[in-house]
Amino acid sequence: MPRVQSQERQMERDQTVLTPMANAIRALAMDAVEAANSGHPGMPMGMADVATVLFTEFLKYDPSAPKWSDRDRFVLSAGHGSMLIYALLHLTGYAAPTIGDIRNFRQLGSPCAGHPENDMLEGVECTTGPLGQGVAMAVGMAIAERHLNATFGSELVDHKTWVIAGDGCLMEGVNHEAVGLAGTLGLGNLNVLWDDNKITIDGDTSLSTTEDILARYAASGWHTASCDGHDFADIARALAEAAADPRPSLVSCKTVIGKGAPNKQGGHNVHGSPLGKSEIEAAREYLGWTSAPFEIPADILANWRAAGARGATARAAWEARAAAHPQGAELARRMAGELPADGGAQGAYIQSLIDNSPTVATRKSSEMALEAMTAVIPEMVGGSADLTGSNNTKTKSTGPLTKDSYGGRYVYYGIREFGMAAAMNGMALHGGVIPYGGTFLVFSDYCRNAVRMSALQHTRVIYVFTHDSIGLGEDGPTHQPVEHVMSLRMIPNLLVFRPADAIETAEAWSLALANAHRPTVLALTRQNLPPVRFDTEFKSAKGAYRLVSASAPRKVVLMATGSEVAIAMDVAKALEAEGVGADVVSFPCWELFDEQDEAYRADLLPADALKVSIEAGVTLGWQKYVGDGIAVGIDSFGASAPAPALYDHFGLTPDKILPRIKARLS
């Protein structure tokens, strides 16, 4: 009898407390989308009950301290349903968004953008919208938490990552990559709540898929569970099971899309369109919601604010532990993204390169720099998409990170370029970790959208892309990335380096680490390159610099990157021998050069000289620097042959370049 009474009291509480709280989410979602005449009301309305249980009973957070290090991370992978997270943040007491921000949903200047953006609201952990990447970033967050837990212990680091994902997230290919990685690493701190409403934009999911999703996850080493997504007690049961299981968890939450809109719920038309005035009126009656648009009754808001305030005690206790803990300051340093005092100092290493100038591939130069840096920057966590021996990304300091040893610093991502890149975004966003990972440059296409998301989210993620040109030789055009460097330069807020030798490579690594709010690509050679620099002045910081000054009166400025800098130097020697003065400008990073003042740029690229670019890739883009000069490159796919034969075939040798310059000069 007491048990029955307890269940009855719980059901009564659910109806009198939790249902109105969930309906507040529904009301804000439908009102904001209607006001904007744009948006996706279906998912927030369908997942309102699940989100209410999560934020009132399971999630560890404190709206008064949004960046508390040991908070749980919440990722709305189904970012199109952004009004769910905006409503939750406002209702639980975050400083933003305000109700005014929500009124201006999807309008210019409002932090309530169409899809959640991590740099607009403190309670948004990552930018989502490209489906599947939220789940993959959550995997990275869970990796970072387990690594820091192994390093600092559970007193300082012990939290979970919770995700709300939709059918689209689970269909995207990156999800499959992320799921396999999470299962292999046994990330029991990761819980994905699947909005299992059987609807996509086109209609019922049966139109496009018949797979057993729970079985797929289980086969990948995940714990799986199901619940009625509109039964608060059943939701709580499933979430408790997920939280307790030592494996990553997927919970199928059986929901009705657009729940509460009596004439449209359950159909695909409610996914991405406003409900309309008449349907909103019907929904208010159906839900018993009598408040005006954007108004939340005081008692319901008080219940939400009480839910938000419940984490303050845990946060205060954690702060006390961290203040007394011998490693508390070190954790704080890492979470703040600050490099250790000796982390940026490469002076001794660069001096060693001058003393013994190596002729090595820049992928090897990168490995040499990494050996020096990973020894003194413990938060650097590396990896490769099954190309460790080719990318040269592993060092003596970076032992394997596995489910049996989370304290390791090297992740074997497997053949999962997209999953790797998205996971690295999550690691960087979690904080306390500086991730870097490698693959071949030509395979940057596989992970391009995650690279773009790195730039959009201002994450310090470092991409080690090797085999950067036709210089890889016999593998042929499928593996020769003629267009990839240029295409990556098109992404805003992304630093793209193509260093010419060991010193430029070391400088590129230093700059990548120093830029805490933007990602970096290192495009590195397979073939050996001769040294071109013999000084310690930090020249790559300007993006481009005069490597060789003309001896005869200057008539030509030769610009080159990476493996073609040495070719430019040979061309300059030949021109000088004929009395034609030629500067050589090494151009490791366009983005940094474009940030220099006009005087510096004009001095480096004077208007009265013939400007010539030399790069083993497409010439599109060089025109902004050469003007009406000459862009030497490859505007076709490559071919299978030894590298020297290819360079000659495509006109990238001094003997082929000199006649073109002399013809223009005459």
Side-chain angles (χ1 to χ4, degrees), residues 305-622:
R305 294 293 160 86
R310 67 187 176 85
T313 300
R315 189 259 305 168
W318 177 87
E319 289 179 343
R321 292 197 305 275
H325 200 284
Q327 289 186 288
E330 172 63 8
L331 175 63
R333 178 193 70 75
R334 296 193 196 185
M335 293 301 297
E338 299 170 357
L339 295 177
D342 58 349
Q346 291 197 65
Y349 169 65
I350 291 179
Q351 186 61 52
S352 74
L353 297 176
I354 295 171
D355 295 340
N356 184 23
S357 302
T359 296
V360 293
T362 50
R363 63 170 175 163
K364 180 63 177 178
S365 299
S366 173
E367 180 185 35
M368 293 158 56
L370 277 171
E371 286 286 1
M373 291 183 299
T374 55
V376 296
I377 307 176
E379 58 266 43
M380 291 182 71
V381 174
S384 172
D386 200 55
L387 291 168
T388 296
S390 295
N391 302 146
N392 294 18
T393 41
K394 194 174 186 307
T395 71
K396 296 181 180 69
S397 301
T398 54
L401 190 159
T402 69
K403 66 179 180 180
D404 298 317
S405 181
Y406 291 122
R409 295 169 56 194
Y410 194 82
V411 182
Y412 290 98
Y413 287 102
I415 303 94
R416 301 183 178 108
E417 294 88 353
F418 197 177
M420 174 184 72
M424 289 197 297
N425 280 334
M427 294 162 74
L429 289 164
H430 177 280
V433 169
I434 301 175
Y436 67 92
T439 187
F440 290 165
L441 177 59
V442 76
F443 299 143
S444 64
D445 281 343
Y446 284 151
C447 55
R448 182 180 179 86
N449 199 260
V451 177
R452 182 178 187 271
M453 294 298 288
S454 298
L456 187 62
Q457 296 180 96
H458 302 274
T459 61
R460 179 163 49 187
V461 174
I462 304 169
Y463 295 94
V464 182
F465 291 152
T466 69
H467 297 57
D468 72 341
S469 71
I470 60 169
L472 63 88
E474 293 86 344
D475 278 346
T478 62
H479 282 52
Q480 292 168 2
V482 293
E483 77 274 26
H484 294 69
V485 168
M486 198 63 71
S487 73
L488 289 165
R489 287 173 178 149
M490 295 168 59
I491 298 176
N493 196 46
L494 175 68
L495 296 179
V496 180
F497 285 92
R498 192 163 182 255
D501 68 359
I503 289 179
E504 279 197 0
T505 303
E507 291 177 341
W509 265 110
S510 286
L511 290 162
L513 289 167
N515 276 272
H517 301 295
R518 55 181 167 180
T520 299
V521 164
L522 303 179
L524 306 171
T525 68
R526 178 197 185 203
Q527 73 272 29
N528 289 341
L529 303 182
V532 299
R533 278 276 301 283
F534 304 94
D535 63 88
T536 58
E537 185 180 349
F538 205 93
K539 294 179 178 178
S540 296
K542 292 186 177 294
Y545 61 92
R546 187 172 290 112
L547 179 63
V548 176
S549 297
S551 296
R554 180 178 58 206
K555 294 184 179 180
V556 179
V557 174
L558 300 164
M559 296 170 278
T561 71
S563 46
E564 288 70 68
V565 172
I567 295 172
M569 294 175 72
D570 288 341
V571 173
K573 289 178 184 177
L575 288 169
E576 292 281 355
E578 298 186 19
V580 178
D583 285 354
V584 176
V585 173
S586 182
F587 228 112
C589 182
W590 285 23
E591 296 76 25
L592 291 179
F593 176 70
D594 289 346
E595 293 171 5
Q596 304 309 308
D597 60 51
E598 184 178 356
Y600 179 82
R601 289 183 280 118
D603 177 68
L604 209 60
L605 306 177
D608 61 352
L610 172 67
K611 289 177 276 294
V612 180
S613 65
I614 308 172
E615 186 172 63
V618 295
T619 59
L620 178 68
W622 275 109

Side-chain angles (χ1 to χ4, degrees), residues 72-95:
D72 284 354
R73 271 50 172 187
F74 171 67
V75 175
L76 183 66
S77 186
H80 57 274
S82 56
M83 267 311 305
L84 179 65
I85 193 168
Y86 299 150
L88 288 164
L89 295 177
H90 174 71
L91 292 169
T92 53
Y94 284 80

